[in-house]
Amino acid sequence: MLMRMSNLKELCSGLPLDPMPSNRGRDPSVPHAPVRTPNLTPEEERLALRNALRYFPPSHHNILAAEFAQELRQYGHIYMYRFCPRIHMRAYPIDQYPCRTRQAASIMLMIMNNLDHAVAQFPQELVTYGGNGQVFSNWAQFRLVMYYLSEMTEEQTLVMYSGHPAGLFPSLPSSPRAIITNGMVIPNYSSREQYEKMFALGVSMYGQMTAGSYCYIGPQGIVHGTMLTVLNAGRRYLGSDDLRGRVLVTSGLGGMSGAQAKAAVIAGCVGVIAEVDEVPLRKRHEQGWLMEVTSDIEHCIQRIREAKRSKTPLSLGYHGNVVDLWERLLTEYERTGELLVDLGSDQTSLHNPFSGGYYPAQLSLQQANQLMATDPARFKTVVHESLCRQVAAINKLSEAGMFFWDYGNAFLLEAQRAGAEVEKEGGGATEFRYPSYVQDIMGDIFSLGFGPFRWVCTSGDPHDLTLTDDIAATVLEEISANVTERVRQQYNDNIRWIREAGKHRMVVGSQARILYSDQKGRVCIALAINQAIADRRVSAPVVISRDHHDVSGTDSPFRETSNVYDGSAFCADMAVQNFVGDAFRGATWVSLHNGGGVGWGEVMNGGFGLLLDGTEEAAKRASLMLNWDVSNGVARRCWSGNSNAYETIQRTMEEQRQLRVTMPYPVQDEDVLDRALQG
């Protein structure tokens, strides 16, 4: 214990310069990010090196310049591996952090959880998930942030510019302790090519969603949403939420997509998930998230058939390319007439298709990594060819009766850019041959105010998590007795989820939980947990948060706002207003990001963290901020013409007399428009 606190104190002492730690380079025992190809000019390389050296006094430049230049040329980015700390990176109990305020300690805990080797996808490159979801751009930034947080008082705010700590600035005790922006680029320059250069220069960063906002809770963060998606897909496409004997085929087991295996089993179906990289596949198997693994595609087909017939829930990891799996399933259908797959999707990181987010079927993992580094143009062509093959097989299986949806990872968007047949005849700018899961499955959930609410027990004690699970379930059971039938279905799904959450062993990293809740549920759960802390039934403060993928947090025309049809799907006022509104209503920290989910330049999103410490002030903050955090998005969806959102915000205004929302009048007679335009 004393040694651990000593290590944390050392970690928070700033940049170690006298002496500097030895440069051990990359750790071969952990997975690493693919080599980046920013294509810098010689002058841009000089600028990247100059920018990196700004963190260090000139007396250290001779040593550091040479190794930073080597990192830039070898890996496409300056990560500053020399300053990667040797401490076991994890979420330590909040009272072990050397801080002046628990609010700062809670941020430190969440940062270290994002970089826990059991949680992070590429921990030494500071990537939490999604292939390029950065917590920071380099290790100097990490160390400076930890130093600033340890020194911070409740009258200071840490300002973060795309991973760079601009410093501590005077503020009010009611202000956020950290304001984070990632990737705030002038719109005309927000292209992938410009991003690669800006990241290599160290001036911008892709924070994904909860990577750069310090709110990731491991793959559990998406298990629940994936389970709800699969259940609701069964209800919508198959006419039942009894999914025994039904087969879901998808891909991806790294980062957030690792949730698919666990979600499939909880939903009761057979989940077959292809993964080209053996490291995350074995990791999920060892963690108990994946029941079986095979690299034999014939054995894979055999196990699908057996599990389908016995109606036994199964998560099967296929070590191979999903394109080969789709084509083999098609061959089996054409040969035998037996359709072995009922539901299909994809969770490869296609927001990042040419830098390790998607591996084409024509190449092995090693060949792909080499080609993307040595001949990016050729690699892009091969990716496009692979996507066209994948879509061709999916199209034929869909014609045979399989139901496919886009999981918001830009699969259909990138397939369209590749020339694959995904166009929807007569469709709008955000519509394809197959629906986004938001459009067809989850969109109405957002309009009802339901989204991914989560919390982290900062004690690190599993008993606290069990107690908060029970608190949340009890709250939802009480509320569900007085809601409409449509809303009750959502409550029942979430009560079932939270009552069974403990037995599914989903904790990876911090003692965290997630469930989907509406506005009233979130507020009531937060207040009940805060009271339990005040009563000392919960032993330490609790951080509440959510995924950015939520009712109000994200403007994304190909995902979260893909079912907004008034022409505003490409507008980002909602996400920006949410970030600002959360900040002055009580959040402990707030973040606003360019990119996340479907990729850089395609989305604006934001999130928050709020520390519940058992005080009346925390209760006031939680109530005020959480009410806004949901009502904002429901009001926007209402104004766009969504009838569910209209009813939801109408009920909310009846319950909250201070809430006044501008309500839309529908055009009841379309002939009025025709006559006006013809005239």
Side-chain angles (χ1 to χ4, degrees):
M1 175 76 166
L2 288 175
M3 177 66 74
R4 186 180 303 151
M5 293 187 72
S6 174
N7 288 340
L8 285 170
K9 189 172 182 180
E10 181 181 331
L11 184 69
C12 297
S13 61
L15 284 169
L17 300 176
D18 187 20
M20 289 194 296
S22 59
N23 183 15
R24 296 172 297 148
R26 281 188 165 190
D27 180 353
S29 69
V30 298
H32 291 282
V35 173
R36 295 181 178 274
T37 54
N39 296 318
L40 300 182
T41 65
E43 279 305 307
E44 288 169 336
E45 285 187 340
R46 290 177 64 86
L47 183 56
L49 197 55
R50 182 182 293 113
N51 287 347
L53 291 172
R54 287 184 291 187
Y55 289 104
F56 306 93
S59 57
H60 293 71
H61 287 185
N62 278 339
I63 295 174
L64 295 178
E67 65 188 56
F68 289 172
Q70 182 181 1
E71 285 184 22
L72 181 62
R73 288 173 174 165
Q74 189 170 356
Y75 306 121
H77 188 73
I78 300 171
Y79 295 105
M80 305 185 186
Y81 290 115
R82 176 191 287 269
F83 297 97
C84 179
R86 301 188 184 190
I87 190 173
H88 177 202
M89 196 73 70
R90 70 176 184 86
Y92 291 95
I94 191 169
D95 289 336
Q96 293 185 19
Y97 290 94
C99 288
R100 298 180 180 183
T101 165
R102 274 184 157 181
Q103 291 187 0
S106 70
I107 301 173
M108 298 169 85
L109 179 151
M110 300 291 280
I111 288 171
M112 292 190 72
N113 185 69
N114 272 23
L115 295 170
D116 185 332
H117 286 203
V119 173
Q121 187 177 12
F122 305 124
Q124 276 205 303
E125 286 74 49
L126 301 109
V127 172
T128 300
Y129 70 94
N132 61 350
Q134 303 285 149
V135 186
F136 302 104
S137 181
N138 59 59
W139 286 105
Q141 293 175 348
F142 166 82
R143 286 182 177 270
L144 284 174
V145 165
M146 297 297 279
Y147 167 72
Y148 281 135
L149 289 171
S150 71
E151 293 289 310
M152 173 189 288
T153 71
E154 292 190 354
E155 293 185 339
Q156 290 174 305
T157 292
L158 175 63
V159 176
M160 296 295 301
Y161 286 7
S162 291
H164 167 68
L168 294 175
F169 291 78
S171 61
L172 298 170
S174 60
S175 303
R177 298 282 68 81
I179 301 282
I180 305 160
T181 53
N182 285 307
M184 295 294 105
V185 174
I186 305 302
N188 282 352
Y189 303 90
S190 189
S191 68
R192 281 183 184 152
E193 294 72 23
Q194 291 280 8
Y195 165 70
E196 291 296 341
K197 283 185 179 289
M198 285 186 282
F199 182 60
L201 292 174
V203 297
S204 196
M205 190 182 87
Y206 186 70
Q208 261 285 358
M209 288 190 165
T210 53
S213 67
Y214 323 145
C215 291
Y216 191 62
I217 60 169
Q220 180 194 173
I222 199 173
V223 170
H224 184 39
T226 305
M227 184 205 74
L228 287 178
T229 300
V230 173
L231 280 177
N232 284 295
R235 290 166 181 153
R236 183 176 182 89
Y237 301 138
L238 307 176
S240 173
D241 58 9
D242 182 356
L243 298 180
R244 290 174 296 177
R246 300 291 196 169
V247 177
L248 165 69
V249 171
T250 180
S251 60
L253 282 167
M256 294 186 77
S257 58
Q260 296 183 103
K262 180 76 77 173
V265 172
I266 295 172
C269 69
V270 178
V272 185
I273 306 98
E275 171 60 60
V276 295
D277 189 345
E278 189 175 12
V279 174
L281 187 145
R282 294 294 175 190
K283 180 178 180 179
R284 297 303 176 210
H285 188 237
E286 290 165 4
Q287 289 174 337
W289 287 62
L290 190 62
M291 294 166 67
E292 296 181 18
V293 172
T294 183
S295 58
D296 183 339
I297 200 165
E298 297 308 318
H299 179 67
C300 185
I301 297 297
Q302 177 187 335
R303 289 296 292 127
I304 292 172
R305 185 173 278 116
E306 291 170 353
K308 189 175 177 69
R309 288 174 180 169
S310 66
K311 296 187 175 182
T312 305
L314 172 68
S315 56
L316 174 63
Y318 168 59
H319 181 210
N321 199 290
V322 73
V323 180
D324 296 328
L325 180 57
W326 283 122
E327 291 177 340
R328 180 65 185 84
L329 288 164
L330 176 61
T331 300
E332 191 70 12
Y333 171 72
E334 293 174 337
R335 183 176 67 84
T336 67
E338 185 179 11
L339 183 64
L340 291 176
V341 54
D342 301 283
L343 302 170
S345 192
D346 185 278
Q347 278 199 37
T348 47
S349 296
L350 270 158
H351 67 276
N352 182 36
F354 312 122
S355 299
Y358 181 89
Y359 284 87
Q362 306 94 307
L363 303 172
S364 69
L365 179 71
Q366 292 75 19
Q367 290 170 334
N369 282 333
Q370 183 176 5
L371 187 62
M372 75 176 74
T374 58
D375 192 346
R378 173 60 185 154
F379 183 74
K380 183 175 181 179
T381 299
V382 176
V383 166
H384 283 171
E385 292 170 353
S386 182
L387 280 168
C388 288
R389 279 176 54 185
Q390 184 172 348
V391 168
I394 288 169
N395 286 349
K396 291 179 180 178
L397 288 166
S398 296
E399 289 166 4
M402 178 191 74
F403 296 93
F404 185 88
W405 68 88
D406 183 291
Y407 213 105
N409 61 332
F411 174 75
L412 293 176
L413 182 62
E414 288 302 327
Q416 179 190 54
R417 291 167 176 167
E421 295 182 11
V422 295
E423 298 286 346
K424 179 180 180 179
E425 188 174 347
T430 64
E431 295 178 289
F432 296 97
R433 177 172 183 162
Y434 304 105
S436 156
Y437 77 115
V438 174
Q439 282 175 306
D440 225 30
I441 303 171
M442 300 290 278
D444 283 346
I445 292 178
F446 285 164
S447 298
L448 294 171
F450 281 84
F453 179 63
R454 53 178 63 166
W455 62 91
V456 175
C457 298
T458 67
S459 64
D461 186 347
H463 176 73
D464 280 348
L465 184 60
T466 300
L467 184 58
T468 55
D469 282 349
D470 186 63
I471 289 170
T474 301
V475 165
L476 296 184
E477 286 165 350
E478 291 172 355
I479 296 174
S480 66
N482 299 294
V483 296
T484 64
E485 189 59 37
R486 183 191 293 268
V487 172
R488 185 173 293 113
Q489 176 69 69
Q490 302 305 323
Y491 270 97
N492 289 342
D493 284 347
N494 283 279
I495 291 166
R496 169 188 165 190
W497 159 265
I498 204 71
R499 287 296 186 199
E500 297 179 357
K503 75 178 185 182
H504 291 299
R505 297 188 303 141
M506 287 180 295
V507 169
V508 178
S510 59
Q511 292 293 319
R513 187 67 75 222
I514 184 172
L515 57 76
Y516 270 53
S517 181
D518 62 356
Q519 182 170 328
K520 188 171 186 178
R522 297 185 206 203
V523 173
C524 290
I525 290 170
L527 295 181
I529 290 175
N530 192 61
Q531 188 59 51
I533 297 166
D535 297 341
R536 303 198 175 184
R537 288 179 288 136
V538 173
S539 67
V542 170
V543 171
I544 58 171
S545 182
R546 59 162 170 75
D547 196 347
H548 298 198
H549 165 68
D550 195 17
V551 180
S552 310
T554 298
D555 281 297
S556 179
F558 297 102
R559 197 164 80 172
E560 284 80 358
T561 48
S562 59
N563 66 334
V564 170
Y565 300 115
D566 68 345
S568 70
F570 292 90
C571 300
D573 300 83
M574 179 179 71
V576 176
Q577 286 280 357
N578 221 66
F579 161 79
V580 175
D582 284 353
F584 67 73
R585 286 181 174 87
T588 305
W589 72 95
V590 290
S591 65
L592 183 67
H593 299 186
N594 170 10
V598 297
W600 181 266
E602 306 283 359
V603 50
M604 293 290 287
N605 63 93
F608 73 86
L610 194 157
L611 186 70
L612 300 176
D613 59 6
T615 62
E616 290 185 10
E617 174 67 18
K620 181 180 178 181
R621 287 176 178 234
S623 180
L624 192 61
M625 199 216 72
L626 290 173
N627 276 306
W628 154 257
D629 195 65
V630 178
S631 284
N632 172 39
V634 178
R636 184 270 178 97
R637 293 167 193 277
C638 165
W639 185 247
S640 76
N642 187 290
S643 59
N644 287 330
Y646 188 102
E647 294 172 8
T648 301
I649 204 68
Q650 189 74 53
R651 285 196 305 272
T652 306
M653 283 194 289
E654 292 168 3
E655 295 172 359
Q656 297 184 7
R657 306 313 299 175
Q658 287 186 299
L659 178 65
R660 293 288 182 271
V661 172
T662 305
M663 305 295 279
Y665 290 102
V667 174
Q668 295 178 336
D669 182 2
E670 290 291 323
D671 290 342
V672 170
L673 306 181
D674 294 334
R675 288 193 298 270
L677 292 171
Q678 289 168 3

